[in-house]
């Protein structure tokens, strides 16, 4: 699940990426063209309800490709967003702010 909240007085939006508790047992990060696909920049943190989340501040009116990557190197998709083919035979999620 992804929730967007405008940042008051700016042209930015806070994007909260949330994975359900059954998605993966270990560590997971959100990676995309907004962070150079670096799994160390935005790790999701466990929440008390068992989900994992991270908030990323992004510019408004832009389109970003992203995926989730777990600590075993497995890609996870967000089923709630549109997806487009990538250059590696998989798909990326698409987020428009």
């Amino acid at each position: 699940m992804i929730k967007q909240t405008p940042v008051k007085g700016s042209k930015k939006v806070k994007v909260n990426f949330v994975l359900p508790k059954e998605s993966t047992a270990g560590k997971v990060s959100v990676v995309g063209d907004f962070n150079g696909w670096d799994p160390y920049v935005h790790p999701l943190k466990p929440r008390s309800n068992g989900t994992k989340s991270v908030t990323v501040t992004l510019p408004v009116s832009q389109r970003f490709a992203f995926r989730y990557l777990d600590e075993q190197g497995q890609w996870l998709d967000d089923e709630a967003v549109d997806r487009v083919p990538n250059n590696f035979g998989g798909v990326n999620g698409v987020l428009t702010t």
Side-chain angles (χ1 to χ4, degrees):
M1 176 175 75
I2 296 175
K3 181 180 177 187
Q4 298 187 43
T5 307
V7 176
K8 192 173 182 177
S10 76
K11 293 184 178 185
K12 297 188 178 205
V13 62
K14 287 187 178 188
V15 180
N16 189 23
F17 294 89
V18 181
L19 284 177
K21 58 184 169 184
E22 61 276 352
S23 62
T24 185
K27 296 178 182 177
V28 63
S29 296
V30 63
V31 295
D33 47 18
F34 51 84
N35 65 11
W37 297 89
D38 186 339
Y40 299 104
V41 177
H42 295 111
L44 279 72
K45 302 209 183 319
R47 295 165 57 175
S48 61
N49 64 1
T51 63
K52 296 175 184 173
S53 71
V54 66
T55 300
V56 179
T57 302
L58 299 172
V60 297
S61 301
Q62 292 195 23
R63 186 175 187 231
F64 298 96
F66 76 96
R67 288 185 92 179
Y68 300 100
L69 183 64
D70 73 13
E71 63 187 334
Q72 284 82 35
Q74 298 296 310
W75 293 104
L76 307 169
D77 296 312
D78 191 320
E79 302 297 327
V81 300
D82 290 336
R83 287 177 274 164
V84 296
N86 62 30
N87 294 333
F88 304 100
V91 294
N92 293 332
V94 177
L95 166 69
T96 303
T97 58

